[in-house]
Amino acid sequence: MIKNLAIVGGSCLLGGAAVFFISPSRDAWSTIFGSTLGGLGGATVTIESIKKSSKEVIKTQQQIQDLKQEHQQLLAKVQEIQDRHNKLTQQLSRAQGQLTNKRHDLNNLQNRVQEIEQQEQDLKVRLERLRISNPQLETLEQMAAQIGELSQNKSGLEGEIAALNSQLQELANQRNSLAQIEVQYHAKKAELQELTEQIQARTESLQTLQTRQGELEVIRASYDALSAEQQHLQTRIEQLRPEIQRLEGEKQRILQVIQQHQQDYQEIENLRRQIRNLNAEIRRKMLDLQDIEHNINTANITMNGLRVKNAQLQEEKQRHQEEIDGLKGELENLSNSTEVAMKALKDKLWNHLPTPPWNIGNSGDIEKQFLQSFTAFLNLQGLTFTRRVVNAFHTSLKVQDISALVVLAGISGTGKSELPQRYADFIGAQCLTLAVQPRWDSPQDLQGFYNYIEKKFKPTDLMRGLYQYNHDNQMQNRIVIVLLDEMNLARVEYYFSDFLSKLESRRSGDTYLEIDLGSLPLREEERRLKIPEEFLFVGTMNEDETTQTLSDKVLDRANVLTFGKPENLKLREDGNNSPGVNRPQGYLDYEKFKAWRRRPQVNSPVVRKVKEYLDRANNVMEKIGHPFAHRVYQAITQYVVNYPGVSEVNSAEFRYALADQFGQKLLPKLRGLMIDDYHEELEEMKQLIEQLGDEPLTKAFEKSRNSSTGQFEWKGLIYPEE
């Protein structure tokens, strides 16, 4: 490669001048010579690396020789250990065979001794019998001789046994010695394994080194070739030095010529560039002229067509204007129809809204003071409710994100309707009372419907309240209590089930109702009504022969408070029933009300204790055939955690809250249960309730269990008067 470069450099002497006029660069020749010298320097670096590699080859060969000698020594040592192992194995095998034979002989002799001893014993017995019965001297002497002979045989055999025992002991000693030798054998075997592994590793290293030796042999050959090439190149460099000096002088001369003609060359290039630009501009102008002439012709043709099209469009515009005027009239009529259809929804519902919002804190002490003030307010109205009823009602309203309905059930005249109304009065909330009718059998009875004949929407107060709450900024953050009075006059599942499901879904996100106006146009923001979380729902139930019971689906989503027969009948005092007596000014906004709500913490002692009770209760309910799932567990836990005053599991408030939920959600599921069929399960439930330690709950359970009908008749958890 270097030779070819030198030849090319020599050829530049003949044609180089013309090249330099075209591309005048001072560094051209230095680049050529620099690359040539750089190639020679690269060859020098390669030779040095080859020398180093040769030294490594010699060192590697020495290592290979050392490894071969060490390998031969290891093989000799392995062979020696293997021979010794074979000899020891043969000795051990022979000793074990002798030991087996001697043991067999010993067993035979011992059996023979036992037989002789038995014969001797038999002869002695016979001799004794003969002496007693028929003493015959000759027979006795024969027997005595036999006994003596047997004794001699016995002594001989005992001697043989002793000799065999000695041999057995010697063999045992040999066996122990062989056992030690076997231990040594295993140690040597492990050592042999280790040496074998070392040999394997050294063999692999030897193979690697042999491979590397081959590579180094190739490198040595390359080194020799490159050394010869280096000598040749060195000679060539010495030959080229005069030529390089001559070329350097020629280079300087050419550069001077280039410098002299540089300005002339630049002017010529500028003139050529201007000529090329003018020719290109002339060509562009000619093309533009042709395009303009073509566009003029096209425009004339298009203008004639547009004149005709304009006349047609004028006629079509007139026709469309007439249609637009007709549609405007129809749209105005439709707008008037929509306005008429929606008029009932827009009739003013909220009047005399209290202001301003209460300026109170969010602590538990503030909530406790609020409940004390509300209880005093009820007393001033001539209404008597126990503290547990007030706390249970207040807590049920707080947890309506999961238990979306509070049901106040019991006999008529116990104040079920007045409690939510007075609660709304006290906090400055709006109260919508809906009187449920026996004919209600669809969601339209609760929400309203569109009358296609009158072309009007017939809303209930609930829909009016929802519509105006969504479109009245003054109502934002205000609490609204919706009271379904005597809600079980009709089947709750028929008219309220779908709406109850929507209420429950509020915890997961915004929930909407839709207004149906048939074919009338209605904006999306008016068609969809959000059910605000500020709406709290309460229902009352009179339990008599004219009413319907609640299904498990409703019970799972509601908290049911029972109002029983009062222990003492009282007259209501006159003059203290004004709703404004002793009521705080302003209103309780929903954000402050919601701030009293607490979320259960999984690892808190209260939550763990609730789970312990509910797991046991669920086991009993499963045996009965009425188990419950996550919704009921979450609802009960949230109720207990939010009950006023619950801070630890040993408090009376914790016992009250958990007893409330047993009476409100679990025991109503047992209605109609045949008591005799589930005696053991009911006994187990009784023990669990007794552990709660709430006397009203225990009494209510016993009363339901001892029903005269033979069925479990749950009448509700009734709180005693204070």
Side-chain angles (χ1 to χ4, degrees):
M1 180 180 67
I2 299 174
K3 292 179 180 179
N4 295 335
L5 180 61
I7 293 170
V8 173
S11 67
C12 290
L13 293 174
L14 301 175
V19 174
F20 285 119
F21 275 110
I22 296 172
S23 178
S25 173
R26 292 178 176 272
D27 299 329
W29 285 103
S30 61
T31 301
I32 295 173
F33 291 119
S35 63
T36 303
L37 296 176
L40 293 176
T44 303
V45 173
T46 305
I47 292 169
E48 290 298 325
S49 63
I50 291 174
K51 288 180 179 179
K52 292 181 181 179
S53 299
S54 299
K55 293 179 181 179
E56 290 182 2
V57 168
I58 296 171
K59 185 178 179 181
T60 303
Q61 288 177 343
Q62 185 63 37
Q63 291 177 355
I64 291 171
Q65 189 65 30
D66 295 341
L67 286 173
K68 286 181 177 179
Q69 293 176 0
E70 187 176 355
H71 180 259
Q72 293 298 328
Q73 294 173 0
L74 289 173
L75 288 176
K77 192 173 182 180
V78 168
Q79 184 62 37
E80 180 183 353
I81 293 172
Q82 189 67 37
D83 294 341
R84 188 177 178 185
H85 169 259
N86 293 334
K87 290 179 181 179
L88 290 174
T89 303
Q90 292 174 1
Q91 291 177 4
L92 179 61
S93 178
R94 287 196 299 271
Q96 286 179 344
Q98 292 175 2
L99 179 61
T100 303
N101 294 332
K102 294 298 182 180
R103 282 182 176 173
H104 180 69
D105 294 341
L106 178 61
N107 290 332
N108 293 334
L109 289 173
Q110 287 176 345
N111 293 332
R112 180 62 179 162
V113 168
Q114 290 177 359
E115 291 177 0
I116 292 173
E117 288 178 348
Q118 184 64 37
Q119 291 176 5
E120 182 182 7
Q121 186 67 28
D122 293 340
L123 289 173
K124 287 180 180 180
V125 172
R126 289 176 61 189
L127 181 60
E128 186 65 28
R129 289 177 180 173
L130 289 172
R131 285 176 180 175
I132 296 172
S133 61
N134 297 314
Q136 296 178 2
L137 181 59
E138 185 179 356
T139 303
L140 292 175
E141 289 176 353
Q142 291 176 357
M143 289 182 178
Q146 291 178 0
I147 291 171
E149 184 181 354
L150 290 174
S151 298
Q152 291 176 0
N153 292 336
K154 177 181 178 184
S155 299
L157 291 174
E158 287 177 349
E160 292 180 7
I161 289 172
L164 288 174
N165 283 329
S166 299
Q167 293 177 4
L168 183 63
Q169 182 64 35
E170 183 179 356
L171 289 174
N173 294 333
Q174 292 179 3
R175 182 180 182 183
N176 293 332
S177 176
L178 289 174
Q180 294 176 358
I181 293 172
E182 186 176 6
V183 172
Q184 295 176 0
Y185 162 72
H186 287 298
K188 293 296 183 178
K189 186 177 182 181
E191 184 179 355
L192 176 62
Q193 181 66 26
E194 183 178 356
L195 291 173
T196 304
E197 292 176 355
Q198 292 179 5
I199 290 171
Q200 183 68 24
R202 294 301 175 90
T203 303
E204 293 176 356
S205 300
L206 180 60
Q207 292 175 352
T208 303
L209 289 173
Q210 288 174 346
T211 303
R212 190 173 178 186
Q213 181 182 8
E215 295 175 353
L216 290 175
E217 290 295 336
V218 175
I219 293 173
R220 175 179 290 178
S222 300
Y223 168 71
D224 295 337
L226 288 173
S227 296
E229 182 72 17
Q230 181 186 17
Q231 295 296 327
H232 178 73
L233 291 175
Q234 194 68 31
T235 303
R236 184 61 179 166
I237 289 171
E238 295 298 330
Q239 294 174 357
L240 289 175
R241 285 190 188 279
E243 185 70 19
I244 291 171
Q245 293 175 357
R246 189 181 65 78
L247 289 174
E248 184 65 29
E250 184 69 19
K251 170 187 171 184
Q252 295 297 329
R253 187 184 64 76
I254 292 171
L255 289 176
Q256 291 175 0
V257 173
I258 290 171
Q259 186 68 28
Q260 293 172 1
H261 295 84
Q262 181 70 30
Q263 186 174 1
D264 295 340
Y265 174 76
Q266 189 68 34
E267 291 178 358
I268 292 171
E269 285 298 320
N270 290 336
L271 291 174
R272 287 177 179 174
R273 190 181 303 109
Q274 291 177 6
I275 291 171
R276 287 195 298 270
N277 293 338
L278 289 173
N279 290 331
E281 184 68 22
I282 290 171
R283 287 194 296 270
R284 285 197 299 272
K285 294 296 184 182
M286 292 298 294
L287 293 174
D288 291 344
L289 180 61
Q290 293 175 3
D291 291 340
I292 291 171
E293 291 176 350
H294 176 73
N295 290 338
I296 290 172
N297 294 331
T298 304
N300 290 331
I301 296 172
T302 304
M303 187 178 294
N304 294 330
L306 289 175
R307 288 193 183 98
V308 177
K309 186 69 174 177
N310 185 44
Q312 296 174 353
L313 290 175
Q314 288 295 333
E315 295 177 358
E316 189 174 354
K317 176 183 176 183
Q318 183 65 28
R319 187 168 63 255
H320 286 324
Q321 187 64 41
E322 293 174 357
E323 293 177 358
I324 289 171
D325 293 339
L327 290 173
K328 283 182 177 179
E330 293 179 6
L331 181 61
E332 185 175 355
N333 293 333
L334 287 173
S335 299
N336 292 335
S337 300
T338 303
E339 189 68 25
V340 171
M342 297 284 288
K343 184 176 183 305
L345 274 172
K346 299 179 180 179
D347 288 346
K348 191 68 175 176
L349 184 64
W350 318 113
N351 295 306
H352 308 297
L353 297 176
T355 55
W358 292 357
N359 185 18
I360 59 175
N362 298 329
S363 66
D365 291 338
I366 298 297
E367 185 180 15
K368 182 178 179 181
Q369 295 173 9
F370 163 80
L371 292 172
Q372 291 174 350
S373 300
F374 176 57
T375 303
F377 173 75
L378 292 175
N379 292 334
L380 288 174
Q381 310 307 309
L383 300 171
T384 303
F385 294 101
T386 65
R387 181 169 61 93
R388 288 189 63 175
V389 169
V390 173
N391 287 347
F393 178 71
H394 171 70
T395 305
S396 298
L397 292 177
K398 283 170 59 179
V399 298
Q400 282 214 354
D401 60 327
I402 187 168
S403 296
L405 178 65
V406 185
V407 178
L408 309 179
I411 62 177
S412 178
T414 51
K416 299 186 299 298
S417 300
E418 287 202 83
L419 178 59
Q421 291 172 348
R422 297 308 180 197
Y423 189 90
D425 291 342
F426 185 75
I427 65 174
Q430 302 302 307
C431 184
L432 292 178
T433 302
L434 305 176
V436 177
Q437 303 298 319
R439 59 176 175 77
W440 283 16
D441 58 3
S442 71
Q444 292 180 341
D445 295 315
L446 178 67
Q447 303 171 25
F449 63 96
Y450 177 67
N451 190 318
Y452 284 85
I453 297 176
E454 299 181 6
K455 296 187 180 299
K456 292 181 180 180
F457 188 78
K458 301 291 185 179
T460 62
D461 283 350
L462 173 61
M463 287 298 287
R464 288 176 60 200
L466 290 172
Y467 180 85
Q468 295 180 29
Y469 196 97
N470 277 267
H471 296 85
D472 188 354
N473 292 331
Q474 291 184 350
M475 287 302 300
Q476 302 309 306
N477 205 24
R478 290 179 181 267
I479 299 174
V480 176
I481 293 181
V482 180
L483 176 60
L484 301 173
D485 200 21
E486 297 193 53
M487 64 180 300
N488 62 331
L489 284 178
R491 292 286 297 182
V492 177
E493 292 77 10
Y494 291 166
Y495 70 87
F496 195 63
S497 180
D498 292 342
F499 191 81
L500 184 59
S501 298
K502 289 182 178 293
L503 292 182
E504 187 183 22
S505 64
R506 287 187 300 181
R507 66 184 308 198
S508 302
D510 293 341
T511 305
Y512 295 88
L513 295 175
E514 296 216 359
I515 298 175
D516 180 17
L517 292 184
S519 61
L520 294 180
L522 189 62
R523 295 194 309 273
E524 185 68 16
E525 60 269 18
E526 290 192 344
R527 180 183 301 277
R528 299 177 75 233
L529 296 181
K530 177 184 175 182
I531 304 177
E533 60 179 348
E534 292 87 348
F535 273 54
L536 306 179
F537 288 81
V538 183
T540 65
M541 291 173 45
N542 288 328
E543 296 180 341
D544 54 40
E545 66 279 358
T546 66
T547 59
Q548 308 288 337
T549 59
L550 297 179
S551 66
D552 284 352
K553 176 182 178 180
V554 178
L555 287 173
D556 286 347
R557 293 164 173 78
N559 285 322
V560 182
L561 279 67
T562 305
F563 292 73
K565 176 185 72 68
E567 297 178 2
N568 298 309
L569 298 175
K570 298 179 182 179
L571 290 174
R572 185 169 179 174
E573 297 182 3
D574 296 332
N576 290 331
N577 57 357
S578 173
V581 173
N582 222 25
R583 191 189 72 80
Q585 297 298 318
Y587 68 96
L588 174 64
D589 64 70
Y590 183 71
E591 288 299 324
K592 290 186 176 65
F593 177 81
K594 190 169 66 172
W596 288 337
R597 187 181 298 160
R598 293 182 292 273
R599 295 297 179 192
Q601 302 298 321
V602 176
N603 295 322
S604 68
V606 171
V607 173
R608 289 202 300 267
K609 195 67 174 178
V610 171
K611 187 176 185 302
E612 177 185 338
Y613 273 107
L614 293 184
D615 284 340
R616 294 171 59 189
N618 205 13
N619 290 335
V620 179
M621 300 288 284
E622 184 180 17
K623 296 175 185 177
I624 295 174
H626 293 280
F628 56 87
H630 301 299
R631 179 193 291 111
V632 174
Y633 166 64
Q634 293 169 2
I636 293 176
T637 304
Q638 191 157 334
Y639 180 94
V640 174
V641 170
N642 280 277
Y643 194 88
V646 172
S647 58
E648 48 93 15
V649 297
N650 294 322
S651 63
E653 286 77 10
F654 175 81
R655 184 173 69 252
Y656 295 157
L658 194 53
D660 285 352
Q661 291 297 283
F662 265 77
Q664 294 175 14
K665 288 189 176 294
L666 301 186
L667 297 181
K669 293 177 178 290
L670 306 182
R671 292 171 303 182
L673 195 71
M674 298 305 297
I675 297 172
D676 291 339
D677 294 342
Y678 296 97
H679 177 77
E680 294 181 1
E681 289 79 3
L682 292 175
E683 183 64 27
E684 190 175 350
M685 181 66 76
K686 174 188 174 183
Q687 294 174 3
L688 179 60
I689 290 173
E690 288 177 346
Q691 289 182 13
L692 283 175
D694 188 69
E695 185 178 354
L697 179 63
T698 303
K699 288 183 178 179
F701 180 80
E702 285 297 325
K703 183 178 179 181
S704 301
R705 185 183 177 190
N706 297 326
S707 170
S708 59
T709 62
Q711 296 181 343
F712 189 88
E713 294 183 356
W714 178 250
K715 298 297 184 180
L717 175 59
I718 300 174
Y719 306 115
E721 296 181 3
E722 298 174 348

